[in-house]
Amino acid sequence: MTRFAKKMVPVLSVAVLGGASLAYAGYTSESAYCYKNTDGSGGCYGSFLGFQNHAGSSTQAYFYRHDSGSKSFYGAYTNTSTGVTTTGSCTPDAATGALWSKALTLSGYFNIQWDATGTCTYLYLNNGSQYSNF
């Protein structure tokens, strides 16, 4: 290694550390949104913290499991600019139903989508710390 390269190692190390990505510890993400297509398909995504704290009076989201074993999702999003509320609900197919117990205990971000028949066909869950309320 040349003398110049040896002298540059500490400089490069500091530069790399200075350019490191942000840490999200303590950062809380609040988001909420639901949409519905003309055929009835749609979805909701965001964090429960975001749905809870959203300014829209009817904005809410929940995963539900009845004692009988039936499962469902309901979401509503009120656009604060227009006052229009978009609602949607679904019952899970086998693949999304397998994640339902995790969805019931979720404290982070979710993305759920349903088809025109009202079947939940996609469910993504993220319990990252940025979605926690510290």
Side-chain angles (χ1 to χ4, degrees), residues 23-32 46-51 53 107-109 127-134:
Y24 288 106
Y27 169 73
T28 57
S29 178
E30 294 186 25
S31 59
S47 64
F48 284 118
L49 187 60
F51 275 88
N53 293 335
S107 61
Y109 175 87
N127 252 342
S129 64
Q130 69 269 32
Y131 301 106
S132 298
N133 188 5
F134 295 98

Side-chain angles (χ1 to χ4, degrees), residues 54-118:
H54 190 267
S57 60
S58 298
T59 299
Q60 60 181 301
Y62 61 84
F63 292 87
Y64 179 78
R65 182 178 59 209
H66 191 272
D67 289 340
S68 68
S70 65
K71 303 168 188 170
S72 62
F73 170 81
Y74 175 79
Y77 172 79
T78 302
N79 183 319
T80 56
S81 299
T82 63
V84 175
T85 300
T86 302
T87 63
S89 62
C90 61
T91 55
D93 61 12
T96 57
L99 297 171
W100 221 251
S101 61
K102 291 181 182 183
L104 291 169
T105 61
L106 183 73
S107 61
Y109 175 87
F110 66 90
N111 181 342
I112 188 164
Q113 297 171 16
W114 55 85
D115 63 18
T117 66

